[in-house]
Amino acid sequence: MKCPNGHGPMEIKSLKKVITFRGEKLLVEAVNYVCPVCGLELADSKLARRNQLVIADAYREKVGLLTSRKIVEGRKRLGLSQKELARRLGVGEASVKRWELGSIQTKAMDRLMRQLFEGKHPEVDVYTGNRAFSLPRIKLVLKWLSKRLGKNLLVKKPREKLLYAAKYLWYADMISYRERGVSMTGATYAALPYGPQLNNYRELINEIRSADEKKAEPLSPEEIRILEKIVRRFPTERSIFDAAHRELIWKEKKTGELIPYTDACRIAVI
Ligand SMILES: [Zn+2]
């Protein structure tokens, strides 16, 4: 690589740096092209990826999460492929790939992977998606979606069932679980004749309406990315209604049967 300031070839150098990442000060060794004349530092895409992984691992080391290397080692010790590990954890294969390449796993997922690597059966909370149930969070997610869809999902019609809201919530929770190993709201879902619905929805609907979303943990950038994807995929109530009714993980259940989050990796339409 040549210096864009016209100083000729740059040299590959590794430099120790203190950076702040997710609020943590980290000492990392970055590898960059450095111009011996003007000191400019550049990274090509390969070095940029390498540096990102180094930062992600330094962060994970600092906050007590498994590093990429430890995830790969743990998986190989059990003789599992990425796909098999994903299946054991009930998440998508793409998530395992991303964690091994430097994406940072959630604490809930980290705990499950550790249990698995220690030879224990991972204690997935299959009906809450590894998160404490939160009415304010349900309200927060529904308000966010309503704003982006330009449609109030909390209105009383049709028939007091929050029919569409329940389907948007279901996809948000399921996709969040599939990609991060943790749901967004901790809600439990049952298969009803008109689609996936909040378990005990009759008791919950008024509580959701009166919940204070300001008490909820704010949405993370990852969660917002998932919600954006859901809004793009399902711009209308009709589109989400039709999609939910094509999902095998709903179709195959008996009426009233709970839909575990570990089914999320079989969501078909998004
Ligand atoms: Zn230069």
Side-chain angles (χ1 to χ4, degrees):
M1 190 177 285
K2 289 200 168 143
C3 175
N5 296 330
H7 299 132
M10 300 174 89
E11 296 162 359
I12 288 193
K13 275 198 173 160
S14 110
L15 299 161
K16 286 213 163 115
K17 294 183 175 195
V18 176
I19 60 143
T20 303
F21 179 76
R22 293 194 182 184
E24 296 286 340
K25 274 206 162 54
L26 307 169
L27 177 66
V28 293
E29 202 165 335
V31 178
N32 287 304
Y33 287 96
V34 181
C35 171
V37 181
C38 68
L40 181 75
E41 290 176 27
L42 288 175
D44 58 15
S45 58
K46 196 174 148 197
L47 284 185
R49 264 202 307 280
R50 181 244 168 234
N51 291 338
Q52 275 161 16
L53 175 60
V54 166
I55 292 168
D57 275 348
Y59 172 82
R60 289 191 279 197
E61 198 97 55
K62 179 136 187 198
V63 301
L65 296 171
L66 293 164
T67 60
S68 286
R69 187 174 48 80
K70 284 186 183 151
I71 296 172
V72 175
E73 279 174 9
R75 174 171 66 75
K76 293 199 168 154
R77 220 172 27 244
L78 293 175
L80 299 174
S81 66
Q82 290 175 323
K83 195 176 181 172
E84 287 162 338
L85 175 60
R87 196 177 307 137
R88 296 276 277 274
L89 298 167
V91 300
E93 186 185 354
S95 299
V96 171
K97 286 194 170 133
R98 280 203 311 271
W99 296 329
E100 292 190 357
L101 288 173
S103 276
I104 294 161
Q105 67 275 21
T106 58
K107 276 205 178 104
M109 206 64 243
D110 197 75
R111 185 172 52 81
L112 294 183
M113 280 196 279
R114 280 172 197 276
Q115 289 170 345
L116 197 63
F117 295 161
E118 286 163 14
K120 296 179 200 149
H121 195 71
E123 293 159 26
V124 184
D125 196 333
V126 294
Y127 297 117
T128 64
N130 296 321
R131 181 191 270 278
F133 176 60
S134 164
L135 286 162
R137 259 232 152 193
I138 291 182
K139 179 91 172 277
L140 179 70
V141 169
L142 288 178
K143 282 217 139 183
W144 190 98
L145 287 166
S146 297
K147 204 171 157 200
R148 291 284 283 107
L149 290 162
K151 168 133 196 108
N152 185 3
L153 292 170
L154 285 155
V155 291
K156 296 202 171 194
K157 286 171 198 171
R159 288 180 292 152
E160 274 300 305
K161 283 179 180 163
L162 291 183
L163 271 189
Y164 300 108
K167 290 178 178 67
Y168 277 103
L169 269 183
W170 184 65
Y171 273 115
D173 273 328
M174 285 283 162
I175 301 299
S176 175
Y177 185 84
R178 185 180 74 188
E179 297 194 0
R180 307 161 59 239
V182 59
S183 66
M184 279 192 205
T185 72
T188 300
Y189 295 90
L192 290 185
Y194 49 86
Q197 173 60 288
L198 289 163
N199 193 36
N200 296 324
Y201 71 92
R202 282 188 191 85
E203 287 95 89
L204 291 178
I205 286 177
N206 284 329
E207 288 192 61
I208 292 170
R209 286 209 184 88
S210 57
D212 181 2
E213 70 273 20
K214 288 181 206 78
K215 287 186 182 150
E217 184 192 328
L219 295 168
S220 71
E222 271 285 276
E223 289 175 318
I224 288 172
R225 187 185 57 73
I226 289 165
L227 292 175
E228 294 278 8
K229 187 159 84 171
I230 288 169
V231 168
R232 275 197 307 277
R233 178 66 182 77
F234 308 121
T236 62
E237 293 178 330
R238 189 76 231 172
S239 62
I240 200 161
F241 187 89
D242 290 344
H245 284 239
R246 283 198 301 271
E247 297 290 356
L248 273 181
I249 63 171
W250 164 72
K251 270 193 199 170
E252 71 192 10
K253 304 280 185 304
K254 294 187 202 84
T255 294
E257 195 179 340
L258 299 182
I259 306 172
Y261 279 90
T262 39
D263 278 358
C265 52
R266 290 164 55 220
I267 291 251
V269 303
I270 182 169

